[in-house]
Amino acid sequence: MSAACIFLRVVIVAVFACSLKDVAALTKPSSVQLKDNGYSGVVVAIHPDVEENGTVIEIIKNMFTEASSVLFNATRSRSYFKNVTILVPDTWADNDTYDSPKNASFEGADVIIATRNPRFAPDPYQQAAPYTKHYEGCGRQAAHIHFTPEFLLDPEPTYGSLGRLLVHEWGHYRWGLFDEYPDVIGDPDFYQEYYFDPETNLFEATR
């Protein structure tokens, strides 16, 4: 299989209801499966607090399409995104193109699109960066990947393309990789475990 042969199917499903407590769940089911090198069952859920915007859906689709090729090349043809389901909240208008959500749910989503979490982005004047909430040890799947709609609509260039950024976060999520840099805000108890270079006055990435 070549990179040009990668086929990604994105399904936009019918409306659903959820509550804020679903976002903070410590453990959750996941329908993601890796079969014949393709990740299927990936669920992206948009929170009801997110204002309706069809552009967000198109950006998500394009992000996964790019990420599929990036992942395929990065893993030396071992994996790619085969299909993705986007859950639309019941606060958005009905659309004839939406399919049935079947067993997909917000609490089981692998990627959530929601407003900023004050714990991880306390400064309302600073753009909230994407992150992966990880509660368990290395090698264990994380809780979810979090993007804000503001970041999707106006991504920070220093993070690179959205597709590459998604693959980066997918490593944290699916394979349980820890952050390369300290998170003084989200993980203040362990940032001192990272190496600090006294010459550059910077924390060095985990190697």
Side-chain angles (χ1 to χ4, degrees), residues 85-162:
T85 296
I86 301 175
L87 287 177
V88 178
D90 58 2
T91 52
W92 289 26
D94 291 338
N95 191 309
D96 293 338
T97 63
Y98 293 164
D99 202 347
S100 169
K102 298 181 181 178
N103 295 326
S105 64
F106 187 90
E107 59 267 31
D110 307 288
V111 180
I112 62 172
I113 312 300
T115 54
R116 69 169 56 240
N117 185 328
R119 177 182 175 186
F120 301 103
D123 186 352
Y125 299 102
Q126 183 177 359
Q127 190 176 49
Y131 65 88
T132 299
K133 193 54 199 163
H134 199 182
Y135 293 102
E136 301 193 38
C138 184
R140 301 293 297 275
Q141 182 167 299
H144 58 252
I145 299 171
H146 181 281
F147 282 90
T148 64
E150 292 80 11
F151 189 93
L152 292 178
L153 292 167
D154 185 22
E156 172 59 49
T158 56
Y159 287 93
S161 68
L162 287 175

Side-chain angles (χ1 to χ4, degrees), residues 26-108:
L26 292 178
T27 59
K28 66 174 187 60
S30 176
S31 58
V32 175
Q33 293 183 339
L34 180 63
K35 184 177 180 180
D36 297 329
N37 294 15
Y39 279 113
S40 62
V42 179
V43 176
V44 180
I46 302 174
H47 194 274
D49 287 346
V50 174
E51 183 178 351
E52 183 170 356
N53 188 338
T55 302
V56 170
I57 292 179
E58 292 303 314
I59 290 174
I60 294 171
K61 291 163 63 176
N62 293 335
M63 177 173 66
F64 269 93
T65 299
E66 179 193 2
S68 186
S69 294
V70 172
L71 184 62
F72 187 79
N73 291 326
T75 59
R76 298 181 181 180
S77 309
R78 292 185 178 91
S79 60
Y80 65 99
F81 291 112
K82 186 174 183 179
N83 64 63
V84 176
T85 296
I86 301 175
L87 287 177
V88 178
D90 58 2
T91 52
W92 289 26
D94 291 338
N95 191 309
D96 293 338
T97 63
Y98 293 164
D99 202 347
S100 169
K102 298 181 181 178
N103 295 326
S105 64
F106 187 90
E107 59 267 31

